[in-house]
Amino acid sequence: MTVPPAAHPPRYWHAPPDGRVQCDPCPRACRLHEGQRGLCFVRQRLGDAIALTTYGRSSGFCVDPIEKKPLDHFLPGTPVLSFGTAGCNLACRFCQNWDITRSRAVDTLADRASPEAIADAAVSMGCRSVAFTYNDPVIFLEYAVDVADACRARGVRAVAVTAGYLEAAPRAEFFAHMDAANVDLKSFRESFYRDICAGHLAPVLETLEYVRKATTAWLEVTTLLIPTLNDGDDEIDELSRWMAEHLGPEVPLHFTAFHPDWKLRDLPPTPLATLRRARDVARRNGLHHVYTGNCVDPDGQSTWCPACGGRLIERDGYSLGEWALDDSGRCAHCGAPCAGVFEARPGRWGARRMPVRLGSP
Ligand code: SF4
């Protein structure tokens, strides 16, 4: 197999005494024999090192509204060039992108795209940012970092959509190259991470605190509410209390609706009433910006001033309406600041989703 060279080749691995090579970006710590792939499928032992077999390859590109990531406080209304690769380091039974995350055919199906080609494409299409999404960029860290560097060199920002399941050193490297991140907090129960995702909660909480306290990346958090599994009042209460205490009240939290998929097809979709109840609980616990997603709920998707209660950004799905922020991101009604990365005017991309081809298959 020929793996394209990376500006930042894989270096999070070591050779334990048992003759295998251990991959170290994420807490799975896969120990691999020659030729063997890790759980994420895309990192493989080739010789006495770990290779990222999907470097320079993508499962597809699409220009999305930034609100789709979801990021509601980061350059609202602007287009973001989104892409992913294949594989994942968690094994969530409810995965909404399982065709990509569980892919075993990426080497023959993927588009080719160098970091420079992706950054150039973002500029030419008027995208303000590039997002690593669809599958978790932690497993293609070196590719994501090179793309982020190429983007930043052209004035395009880098956005990570991730489950935050990674170790301390790669965490520091990865987020140093990001301008914004939406991190999944899939549940506030270790048992959920263990039984439903085949992972652990603690590394995710560490990532959230790290991004908020040790980086300049803008942070938002998403929790997909799954009926009976993580939608109880007690859990939502604990989760939002933890966020208010450890991340502060200004970090936006998105409660999004589950749709039956992958190995969890026996549960119903999340009712709108559940999303609204969760939003109420989290707001009562002090979070300023709590959103509902994957549903029709303009009130739950608009941004409201935490000081005066006035509407700052009207949203209906991914479409923006009223804009009541001044040039410096303050409430036009009362002058209170709104946390986030804002410009004088919102973008005009709207709700469009535009697939694009960058490279040859
Ligand atoms: S990145 Fe992939 S191969 Fe490496 S430890 Fe995590 S799951 Fe295993």
Side-chain angles (χ1 to χ4, degrees), residues 78-139:
T78 61
V80 52
L81 179 61
S82 303
F83 80 100
T85 59
C88 192
N89 59 337
L90 289 173
C92 303
R93 296 176 58 212
F94 52 86
C95 184
Q96 312 276 293
N97 286 327
W98 60 269
D99 50 334
I100 293 171
T101 59
R102 295 293 107 198
S103 173
R104 294 291 184 269
V106 66
D107 287 345
T108 55
L109 293 177
D111 285 352
R112 293 179 186 276
S114 68
E116 292 72 24
I118 294 171
D120 287 343
V123 171
S124 70
M125 288 184 280
C127 293
R128 302 295 309 283
S129 55
V130 165
F132 313 108
T133 179
Y134 306 139
N135 69 324
D136 203 300
V138 165
I139 63 169

Side-chain angles (χ1 to χ4, degrees), residues 158-208:
V159 170
V161 180
T162 173
Y165 195 59
L166 72 173
E167 293 285 0
R171 177 187 293 139
E173 178 182 359
F174 180 72
F175 286 105
H177 295 264
M178 298 299 141
D179 298 293
N182 188 298
V183 177
D184 274 351
L185 179 51
K186 294 173 185 289
S187 163
F188 206 62
R189 298 279 183 267
E190 168 63 13
S191 56
F192 182 103
Y193 270 90
R194 185 191 63 222
D195 299 340
I196 309 291
C197 307
H200 298 286
L201 170 62
V204 181
L205 298 182
E206 288 167 14
T207 295
L208 288 167

Side-chain angles (χ1 to χ4, degrees), residues 12 22-32 36-44 50 88-90 138-140 165:
Y12 297 110
Q22 179 172 318
C23 181
D24 292 325
C26 88
R28 293 203 170 280
C30 299
R31 287 192 174 190
L32 306 172
Q36 202 174 11
R37 292 172 182 263
L39 176 127
C40 63
F41 186 70
V42 301
R43 300 180 93 86
Q44 182 180 24
I50 297 292
C88 192
N89 59 337
L90 289 173
V138 165
I139 63 169
F140 62 93
Y165 195 59

Side-chain angles (χ1 to χ4, degrees), residues 271-292:
L272 178 57
T274 298
L275 300 170
R276 287 178 168 163
R277 173 174 51 80
R279 180 168 179 261
D280 289 344
V281 170
R283 294 175 82 199
R284 276 201 301 275
N285 283 337
L287 296 186
H288 290 173
H289 303 290
V290 187
Y291 297 99
T292 59

Side-chain angles (χ1 to χ4, degrees), residues 335-346:
C338 180
V341 179
F342 300 109
E343 295 178 334
R345 298 189 197 294

Side-chain angles (χ1 to χ4, degrees), residues 73 249-253 287-291 303-306 312 338-339:
H73 292 235
E250 296 182 329
V251 173
L253 171 60
L287 296 186
H288 290 173
H289 303 290
V290 187
Y291 297 99
T303 299
W304 304 88
C305 177
L312 300 175
C338 180

